[in-house]
Structures are given as C-alpha cells and as structure tokens.
Amino acid sequence: MAATSESIQTTATTAPSTIPKQIPSKAKETLVGFAIGGLAACGAVTFTNPTEVVKTRLQLQGELVRAGQLSASARPYHNTFQAMKVVFKHEGVRGLQRGLGVAYIYQIFLNGSRIGLYEPVRDAVVSTFGFRSEQALLGAGIFAGAVAGITGAMLGSPLYLIKTRQQSFSPVFKQIGHQHEIRSAWTALGRIYQQEGLKGIYRGVDAAMARAGVGSAVQMPTYMIGKDILISRFGLPDTLGTHLTTSMFAGFLVAIAMNPFDVISTRMYNQGVDPVTGRGILYKSPVDCFFKMTRTEGVRGLYKGFLAHYLRIG
C-alpha cells in the first residue's frame, strides 16, 4: 500500500509536467504576418502590374531632357490611360504584364516584411521606451513602418532591379530609357553577378531603401489616423467602405511623399552600366540623380508617372 500511495503521489506530482505549455511565439507571429502580407500583395499585384509598367515608362520618358524640348517621336506616352492603350496595342497583354513573375516574389519580400515586421518593431519600441502619449505612439509607428519597409526593400532589391528593367523594355519604343532585353530573370541575375559582382546585383538598393522607408513610414500611420478620424470624429461606421475611403486617402499622401524617390529609384535601376568601370552611365548616386534631374527636368520630373503610381498603391 505504501508503494501504491507513493506511486500515486509520484504520478500526481509528475503528471502536470507532461502537459505542454502553450507559450505564444513572437517569431511565429512574425513569420505568419510575413507570409500573409506577401500572399495578399501577390493577389493585388496581378491587377496593378499594368499600371506599374506604365508608371515605369512614364518615369523614364524624357530622361534628362529639358521640358518642352522632347520631340513627338520621343514621347509616345502622354498619360496613364493612353499609355496603357499604346502598350496593349503594340505589345498585347504580355506587354502590360511584363515583370509579373519577378513582381510576385518581390512583393513577398517587401510587403511580407512591411506587415510581418511592423507590429513587432512597434511593440518593441513602445515597451523599451515606455511610450504612452498619442504623439509618441505615432512616432513609434512611423519608425516601425520605415524599418519594415527598408528591410523589405533591401531583401528584394535584386528582384526590383530585374523587374524595372523588364518593364521598361519595349520592342517598339526603344528610345524610352536604357533598354535591357531580359528573357530570363534568373539568367539575368547570374549574368549581372558574373560581370559586376554583388555590387551589380544590389545596384540602386540605396534609392530603393529610401523609397520604401518613406512609403512605409507614411502609409501605416496615415491609414490608422485617417480611419480613426473618420470613425471617431465624423461618426462613420467601421465598415469596408470606411476602410476603402481611408486607403484611398492614405494612398494619395503616400504617392505625394514617395513619387520623387520612386522616380529616382527607377532611373538608378534602369540606367546603363559602363562595361569597363562597372559604374552607372548617367548617375553616380541617388543624390546625383536628384540634382541632374531637377536641373534639366525641373520639379515636375520628380512627379512623372504620379497618377499611375497612385492608382497602383491607392
């Protein structure tokens, strides 16, 4: 009996330890957020890729040419919708969907990082510094958005390089930017690495990081603040319509802040490369690109492709 009692006591003591403890994993939550964000973005990019193609070409059209000096033959694209019509007429659906395969993978990196990292970074900043005020929480959101966007842009930069070059290529209008004929994205990446090394693979990453950092820093807080204003101050219900209205408003502000960086990023990625020096033919850096562009094209050059950009992110 004593042995039996001891056994029962031992079992009672040790039984609870066999029950697994359910501890929430921040790493798991981050990975799930990364995956969901990336997959959602892939669905969206299928429909928005044509506007991305048009945006890229509008941003490259008239590169470093003074306003008013661009000939009619050098300006086949007049606006977003006319450009889509022209691309479809000469290149078909395939032309409107150039770079789609690479865009899918890039979106997994960029938006997966944006959504997957935003909350963990924001929570870490808030808990570390003990933020409580509305202004401090907003600052934490801006910082988290920028970090998440910059990380995604850095991870996906080689893919964005190939995507930009694929989308700028036209078998008809070869005067738009430097023309890179790419048949296979992976072959192109391998060739760039062989000829230019890691520096070539990550050409333009600095401009892309600035672009994504600004976009993410503005997008997340603007959306949250806009939704709060519509619901709490204007009494709108928390419905799909309210969320769509907020997204359109936030997208407009993001496009205003982000478009100059987007144009610079596009040109840094697409410029030709000197085979001897391995340097860009037109621009040494994003800052050099900014000054050269504003001197020749004016501030207006920084907002080329704005409508297409807004339609894509709005």
Side-chain angles (χ1 to χ4, degrees), residues 182-204:
I182 297 174
R183 299 188 181 277
S184 166
W186 311 116
T187 302
L189 279 172
R191 187 179 66 249
I192 293 170
Y193 181 74
Q194 287 178 351
Q195 296 175 353
E196 306 171 40
L198 198 60
K199 183 179 179 181
I201 290 291
Y202 275 92
R203 185 178 303 280

Side-chain angles (χ1 to χ4, degrees), residues 76 137 176 181 259:
L137 292 174
I176 307 299
E181 188 169 0
N259 207 83

Side-chain angles (χ1 to χ4, degrees), residues 16 23-24 34 37 103 114-115 165 176 191 216 225 231 275 290 302:
I23 303 174
F34 186 98
R114 277 179 175 175
I115 297 175
R165 293 181 177 184
I176 307 299
R191 187 179 66 249
S216 297
I225 293 170
I231 293 174
F290 171 80
L302 296 172

